[in-house]
Amino acid sequence: MHIVMTGGTSGFGAEASARLARAGHSLTLGARQPSADTAQTRYLPLDLENLASVDAFAEEVTRGAPIDALLLNAGLQLAKPERLPNGMEKTFFVNQLAHVYLLVRVLDALPDGARVVLTGSGTHDPAEKTPVTPPDHADARRLAFPETDPALPKAARKQAFRAYSSSKLANIMTARHLARLRPDLSVMAFDPGYVPWTGLGRANGRVIATLASLIVPRLMAGNRSSTVAQSGGFLAELATAPAYAREQGSYWSVRTPSLVRIEPSALARDEAATARLWEDSLALLGLA
Ligand SMILES: NC(=O)c1ccc[n+]([C@@H]2O[C@H](COP(=O)([O-])OP(=O)(O)OC[C@H]3O[C@@H](n4cnc5c(N)ncnc54)[C@H](OP(=O)(O)O)[C@@H]3O)[C@@H](O)[C@H]2O)c1
């Protein structure tokens, strides 16, 4: 298979891409700092903060071999809110809007039966009661411009947490919407569980990131904490295993030691909110 991936350079995404290459698949990885190509893996520049970079990446991958699987796994979590030069909130832009932009740019090049996996997170669901402030809504305009959001928490840290959980909610809703737009594809959302020792906590600094990796797994329900090897392995399976060849927006969550299909949050299942999120995301990207 030819697998195109964002977020394949670090954390459990790097584990997934390494496994897929070892299994003989050919990979194209979008990378902020591309490495030298190998026999199985081609690196192309991709910075999701910058739509011109996403455009160039999309142009290049649609010109190459047909895409059998598209894994949208890149993501960031900030310690305090940040804006991009275009004025939009950085987490929502990188995790959601830039991925929607990439999807739209490559959609016509995805053949019947191609797989698309978007990495979400259990933090999207208030019922999971994770330490991350859960989403309050999935209104793309308010998420892109939080100063317009009456539900914005006061504390900077909670704002950053909510931006993250909301972006992951948006990823899961986008998978469900894509499945309706293109029923010929196999579309999934993936929750890797809590995975310590990845780069996700890097904005907190090394000391806090290390402490979180040591402590958070002990505070969580045993089956909600995972490992880089386990979650990377599950992502590789979603991309290639025959069992996942006909998925219509299903949500797969790591419940150690298994990967199980569960329902996402009530808001993630709201079809009207999901369609609105897609339309508003396109409008914010200048694509509507
Ligand atoms: N770790 C967890 O507990 C956890 C739980 C639930 C969901 N997730 C999700 O899982 C995914 C992978 O996270 P991880 O924990 O493995 O973290 P990670 O080690 O920080 O990996 C994040 C990946 O995203 C890429 N990325 C970040 N910003 C980017 C940008 N502006 N342009 C292009 N690529 C960018 C990174 O590229 P670089 O190599 O250039 O940094 C890296 O490959 C994320 O979507 C995250 O939200 C993680």
Side-chain angles (χ1 to χ4, degrees):
M1 285 174 76
H2 174 218
I3 297 161
V4 173
M5 185 169 182
T6 72
T9 52
S10 167
F12 67 83
E15 170 75 19
S17 62
R19 283 183 188 224
L20 290 165
R22 279 200 301 276
H25 300 289
S26 99
L27 285 114
T28 303
L29 301 187
R32 285 186 286 190
Q33 288 164 339
S35 309
D37 291 352
T38 66
Q40 300 295 133
T41 306
R42 182 167 70 129
Y43 293 86
L44 293 176
L46 175 67
D47 184 352
L48 292 160
E49 291 185 25
N50 176 352
L51 289 188
S53 168
V54 183
D55 246 331
F57 179 75
E59 177 78 25
E60 193 63 34
V61 295
T62 49
R63 242 197 269 137
I67 301 168
D68 300 306
L70 176 65
L71 310 184
L72 302 179
N73 180 64
L76 61 81
Q77 188 174 45
L78 299 174
K80 55 181 175 23
E82 285 182 41
R83 297 300 175 103
L84 291 172
N86 64 15
M88 295 195 207
E89 194 282 320
K90 186 169 165 178
T91 314
F92 186 66
F93 192 89
V94 167
N95 295 4
Q96 164 69 1
L97 292 178
H99 278 127
V100 169
Y101 191 80
L102 176 58
L103 257 179
V104 170
R105 291 283 282 102
V106 304
L107 203 53
D108 288 345
L110 294 179
D112 277 19
R115 298 187 191 195
V116 180
V117 183
L118 288 102
T119 299
S121 162
T123 59
H124 89 278
D125 188 350
E128 289 241 12
K129 299 195 183 336
T130 76
V132 175
T133 313
D136 187 61
H137 59 78
D139 180 330
R141 291 173 195 277
R142 280 155 63 189
L143 293 169
F145 297 105
E147 71 278 11
T148 65
D149 191 348
L152 192 68
K154 292 239 168 347
R157 186 166 196 80
K158 283 193 169 183
Q159 289 178 15
F161 271 174
R162 178 162 284 170
Y164 176 77
S165 62
S166 304
S167 74
K168 296 284 113 182
L169 168 66
N171 292 153
I172 294 163
M173 293 168 90
T174 298
R176 293 169 72 88
H177 192 70
L178 178 63
R180 283 194 280 277
L181 284 180
R182 285 283 307 266
D184 59 304
L185 301 175
S186 183
V187 186
M188 293 153 266
F190 175 52
D191 161 32
Y194 175 70
V195 191
W197 309 112
T198 72
L200 196 66
R202 67 185 96 174
N204 294 302
R206 191 175 294 190
V207 173
I208 292 181
T210 302
L211 286 175
S213 287
L214 289 169
I215 295 166
V216 175
R218 292 165 200 269
L219 301 178
M220 299 189 63
N223 69 353
R224 295 300 283 128
S225 187
S226 184
T227 62
V228 164
Q230 178 172 259
S231 291
F234 283 137
L235 181 55
E237 278 181 32
L238 290 176
T240 56
Y244 306 103
R246 301 208 161 276
E247 298 297 324
Q248 298 289 308
S250 53
Y251 177 54
W252 292 87
S253 179
V254 173
R255 306 282 147 153
T256 299
S258 306
L259 181 67
V260 295
R261 184 184 166 168
I262 61 168
E263 288 300 319
S265 70
L267 183 50
R269 287 181 274 123
D270 180 332
E271 283 194 22
T274 299
R276 225 171 17 248
L277 169 74
W278 177 260
E279 293 305 325
D280 288 348
S281 295
L282 296 187
L284 287 163
L285 290 162
L287 296 173

